[in-house]
Amino acid sequence: MMDQSYFWLRDNNDINTVATLGPKSSSSEAAAKYFSTLINRPLKILLFDTFEEASDYVELTDSAALLVANAYQKTDFFYMNPKTLLSGSFFFSPPAYHLCCKDINALQQKVNNNEVINIDTHHAPLSRLDDLIKTANPSVIDLSKARFNIRLSTSTSQAAIHVAEGHSDCCLVNSDSITLYQLKKISAPLTINMTWALFIKNQQRQKEEAKWTITNAYSS
């Protein structure tokens, strides 16, 4: 079994803020809270619409760290970004995921009417969606003949909001979002083992760029 407490970090004593993906109840927010307990220090958690927007903030802030899930489809950008520096990583399994809906009876009626069922999910757990659909208990809801349309959301919590507001029928989200938006579970739980990476402002690179700019200004 993997040790949940395994991590490595550079000196993070100057960090008082974590910037990561929101909105509230995202798996990234749960990971940020866990990181705060890991280093035994309270941290301010800022939630952004995308990891890229969170990175933009960190690039301009000395006391903030960007927190990104390694399962994110475009994680390579942050490793290659010259404006940030890899600062650490840790293991954290987000709260269990479930396929959910707002109203089971209303969902079953749509299935019975052969209407297309819209499912919102973040890209990261998308490959496990079919497995979860098959775990739905037919005595609760029968999805065996349902027709699905998959919609990608920027985060699991954003997917939950779409269902709670009636813009979509189902979502694949974590337990925190299920509780916050009062959704109904219709599948078995899905546990995802995941590592998370931390990035900080690359101050040395920015000092070198500033020095290069000044040197070239004098030489021109």
Side-chain angles (χ1 to χ4, degrees):
M1 182 178 293
M2 187 176 293
D3 184 0
Q4 180 87 351
S5 64
Y6 178 78
F7 65 96
W8 75 266
L9 298 170
R10 297 180 191 269
D11 181 6
N12 284 272
N13 290 331
D14 294 333
I15 300 301
N16 58 31
T17 301
V18 175
T20 192
L21 181 66
K24 189 172 179 59
S25 78
S26 67
S27 295
S28 299
E29 182 188 33
K33 291 177 179 178
Y34 174 74
F35 174 61
S36 179
T37 64
L38 199 61
I39 62 175
N40 196 29
R41 194 166 79 239
L43 296 170
K44 183 178 181 180
I45 300 174
L46 299 180
L47 301 176
F48 292 82
D49 290 339
T50 66
F51 284 120
E52 287 77 10
E53 290 181 13
S55 181
D56 290 342
Y57 175 83
V58 170
E59 290 170 17
L60 300 174
T61 310
D62 294 341
S63 60
L66 167 67
L67 177 62
V68 181
N70 275 325
Y72 177 52
Q73 188 181 20
K74 301 177 181 178
T75 303
D76 59 303
F77 168 79
F78 306 107
Y79 284 96
M80 302 303 164
N81 184 3
K83 295 181 180 180
T84 56
L85 179 69
L86 181 64
S87 178
S89 67
F90 60 91
F91 172 80
F92 172 72
S93 290
Y97 282 67
H98 292 263
L99 185 63
C100 300
C101 69
K102 184 177 182 179
D103 185 309
I104 293 178
N105 291 330
L107 179 61
Q108 185 66 70
Q109 188 61 51
K110 289 193 71 170
V111 173
N112 294 343
N113 292 340
N114 200 32
E115 297 179 49
V116 173
I117 305 303
N118 293 305
I119 300 179
D120 269 44
T121 178
H122 186 256
H123 184 275
L126 177 60
S127 62
R128 301 299 303 276
L129 182 57
D130 285 344
D131 294 337
L132 284 184
I133 291 173
K134 293 174 183 176
T135 68
N137 187 341
S139 65
V140 177
I141 185 166
D142 186 3
L143 299 179
S144 61
K145 297 181 181 180
R147 297 187 297 132
F148 299 107
N149 175 53
I150 310 304
R151 297 172 172 176
L152 293 181
S153 297
T154 55
S155 70
T156 52
S157 48
Q158 188 63 55
I161 291 173
H162 289 165
V163 172
E165 294 180 347
H167 303 307
S168 199
D169 302 303
C170 300
C171 55
L172 175 53
V173 297
N174 69 44
S175 300
D176 288 350
S177 290
I178 294 169
T179 300
L180 181 62
Y181 298 105
Q182 300 180 328
L183 302 179
K184 304 294 190 298
K185 301 175 184 177
I186 57 175
S187 77
L190 170 64
T191 300
I192 303 176
N193 294 323
M194 196 181 300
T195 56
W196 301 76
L198 292 153
F199 300 86
I200 57 175
K201 176 181 176 181
N202 191 345
Q203 298 185 50
Q204 184 58 37
R205 173 61 181 256
Q206 294 186 15
K207 289 177 182 177
E208 291 172 356
E209 289 180 347
K211 182 179 180 181
W212 182 89
T213 301
I214 293 173
T215 301
N216 280 271
Y218 281 115
S219 61
S220 59

